[in-house]
């Protein structure tokens, strides 16, 4: 198979999506597939790596360190040249024209849904119901445009199920994985402080405000507590204000997974409390590092934690503080062993195997030749008259 992975809104600090793209791509190549990755960047560039070719298309900044490919025809030109048997879309909004190209060209298409739009928009805007109609309309369009939708949790499946049934589009659940070699338990120094950790982007849709407020609630109760926050984002100043005089330390972005694992392993409890999280790679990374996790009682992250590896509460600082104390009261060796055992149920190899089955189910043997059935004369004419040709720096 020849699998093309396409992603927008990928930035230097977009940890979860970058991690998934990298792990899946490496797994596809290890399984004998050809793999292409197309992402936005400051300039056109093409590189060859051990995990396949990477094409970067110049794209403008759209805030938060992200870039957005605003010319989808440039993506399809790359695909027509490369000839995939299937494409894997990691963005619902901006790459829809590529899904239409795939259908016209006989190329299989898979939408890997990384967010639940209705709840994500509600978390960003504070408006709960106003966007639900427009999101439902978009989802109807999506399931009619792709061959298969892949979600990472039952919670994420919820926004698609009814519209997908009507369109006859399969919605398959494939949990993501964790690097169990890099994220692992580490020796810890005993201290007389309840050590909490939160790792993630500091933007409203990730609910870091709720994690900080939980630590503040524990501090208000007179407990010796410390929260280390790892990550960057647009709302750091708001979080500093929420923390006040509570012992909350903002550590910034960690560019080394091994260093992040050590930071996670040194905590007693990890906070991953976003109620709109569709999966929660940070949950698995903490669990794999031997640290139990407290989550909100709804959302995809909740599905990763059981009663031995963590706890959950309503998305309220007082309820989550109670959950933290319940976890901290358990014997340290048993709660850390349970966390690691829970993570070991989610190796990346299982995710890759399931995704390969999905790609095999949508790929058509003739798609490669169909995708290349574009005459050089028509391509040259179109590029000369209506488009600026893509310049790829090697």
């Amino acid at each position: 198979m020849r699998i093309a992975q396409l992603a927008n809104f990928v930035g230097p600090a977009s940890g979860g999506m970058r991690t998934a793209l990298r792990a899946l791509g490496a797994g596809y190549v290890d399984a004998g597939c050809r793999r292409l990755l197309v992402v936005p960047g400051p300039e056109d560039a093409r590189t060859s790596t051990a995990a396949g070719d990477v094409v970067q298309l110049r794209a403008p900044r759209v805030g938060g360190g992200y870039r957005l490919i605003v010319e989808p025809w440039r993506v399809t030109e790359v695909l027509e040249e490369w000839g995939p048997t299937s494409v894997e879309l990691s963005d619902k909004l901006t790459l829809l024209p590529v899904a239409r190209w795939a259908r016209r060209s006989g190329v299989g298409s898979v939408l890997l849904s990384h967010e639940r739009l209705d709840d994500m928009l509600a978390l960003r805007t504070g408006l709960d119901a106003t966007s639900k109609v427009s999101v439902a309309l978009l989802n109807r369009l999506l399931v009619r445009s792709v061959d298969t939708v892949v979600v990472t949790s039952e919670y994420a499946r919820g926004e698609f199920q009814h519209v997908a049934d009507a369109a006859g589009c399969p919605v398959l659940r494939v949990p993501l994985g964790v690097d169990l070699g890099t994220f692992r338990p580490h020796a810890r120094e005993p201290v007389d402080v309840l050590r909490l950790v939160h790792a993630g982007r500091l933007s409203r849709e990730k609910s870091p405000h709720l994690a900080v407020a939980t630590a503040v609630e524990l501090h208000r109760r007179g407990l010796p507590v410390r929260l280390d926050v790892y990550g960057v984002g647009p709302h750091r100043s708001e979080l500093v204000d929420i923390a006040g005089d509570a012992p909350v330390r903002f550590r910034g972005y960690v560019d080394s997974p091994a260093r992040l694992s050590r930071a996670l392993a040194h905590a007693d409890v990890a906070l991953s409390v976003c109620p709109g999280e569709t999966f929660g790679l940070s949950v698995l990374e903490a669990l794999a590092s031997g640290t139990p996790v407290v989550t909100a009682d709804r959302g995809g992250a909740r599905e990763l934690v059981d009663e031995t590896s963590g706890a959950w509460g309503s998305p309220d600082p007082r309820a989550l503080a109670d959950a933290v104390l319940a976890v901290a009261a358990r014997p340290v060796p048993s709660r850390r062993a349970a966390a690691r055992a829970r993570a070991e149920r989610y190796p990346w190899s299982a995710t890759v195997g399931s995704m390969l089955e999905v790609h095999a189910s949508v790929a058509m043997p003739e798609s490669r030749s169909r995708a290349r059935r574009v005459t050089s004369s028509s391509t040259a004419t179109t590029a000369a008259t209506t488009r600026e040709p893509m310049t790829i720096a090697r």
Side-chain angles (χ1 to χ4, degrees), residues 12 29 38 86 105 107 130 135 154 180 202 247 252-253 315-316 365 370 384 388:
V29 171
V38 181
S86 58
S105 303
V107 174
T130 55
V135 169
E154 290 301 320
L180 293 167
L202 305 184
Y253 179 66
D316 170 85
R370 284 188 184 181
E388 180 183 354

Side-chain angles (χ1 to χ4, degrees), residues 134-220:
S134 57
V135 169
L137 291 173
L138 172 62
N139 286 337
R140 289 192 186 96
L141 180 61
L142 286 170
V143 297
R144 286 172 169 78
S145 302
V146 300
D147 295 320
T148 297
V149 173
V150 171
V151 297
T152 54
S153 63
E154 290 301 320
Y155 164 75
R157 188 198 298 269
E159 72 168 338
F160 281 112
Q161 195 58 62
H162 297 304
V163 294
D165 288 345
C169 177
V171 178
L172 307 176
R173 175 178 171 268
V174 178
L176 299 180
V178 64
D179 183 343
L180 293 167
T182 299
F183 289 91
R184 56 185 178 82
H186 295 266
R188 304 186 315 145
E189 292 289 334
V191 295
D192 294 328
V193 174
L194 178 60
R195 294 168 293 190
L196 308 179
V197 66
H198 171 83
R201 182 169 169 76
L202 305 184
S203 56
R204 191 164 284 110
E205 72 275 8
K206 296 296 185 181
S207 299
H209 304 68
L210 188 53
V212 173
T214 299
V216 171
E217 170 64 18
L218 290 165
H219 178 65
R220 186 191 65 78

Side-chain angles (χ1 to χ4, degrees), residues 174-362:
V174 178
L176 299 180
V178 64
D179 183 343
L180 293 167
T182 299
F183 289 91
R184 56 185 178 82
H186 295 266
R188 304 186 315 145
E189 292 289 334
V191 295
D192 294 328
V193 174
L194 178 60
R195 294 168 293 190
L196 308 179
V197 66
H198 171 83
R201 182 169 169 76
L202 305 184
S203 56
R204 191 164 284 110
E205 72 275 8
K206 296 296 185 181
S207 299
H209 304 68
L210 188 53
V212 173
T214 299
V216 171
E217 170 64 18
L218 290 165
H219 178 65
R220 186 191 65 78
R221 296 183 188 184
L223 294 163
V225 64
R226 186 186 78 206
L227 171 63
D228 290 303
V229 178
Y230 294 90
V232 295
H235 298 134
R236 183 183 185 278
S237 61
E238 296 178 14
L239 300 174
V240 171
D241 290 341
I242 293 172
D245 62 356
V248 178
R249 300 190 293 189
F250 295 89
R251 301 293 198 172
Y253 179 66
V254 180
D255 59 1
S256 164
R259 283 178 53 213
L260 179 58
S261 177
R262 286 192 294 272
L264 294 171
H266 288 162
D268 296 295
V269 180
L271 299 176
S272 187
V273 294
C274 177
E277 184 66 73
T278 53
F279 186 71
L281 281 174
S282 60
V283 174
L284 285 186
E285 290 170 353
L287 294 174
S289 302
T291 301
V293 181
V294 165
T295 75
D297 60 1
R298 61 179 185 266
R302 162 67 187 88
E303 298 174 28
L304 296 174
V305 176
D306 65 2
E307 53 278 344
T308 66
S309 60
W312 48 90
S314 61
D316 170 85
R318 288 167 294 184
L320 293 168
D322 290 341
V324 168
L325 293 178
V327 173
R330 301 170 192 167
V332 173
S334 61
R335 76 190 188 213
R336 297 189 68 81
R340 175 67 185 187
R342 186 70 175 174
E344 288 174 350
R345 300 177 59 179
Y346 297 91
W348 273 117
S349 58
T351 307
V352 170
S354 295
M355 288 301 298
L356 285 171
E357 292 180 7
V358 172
H359 279 283
S361 72
V362 302

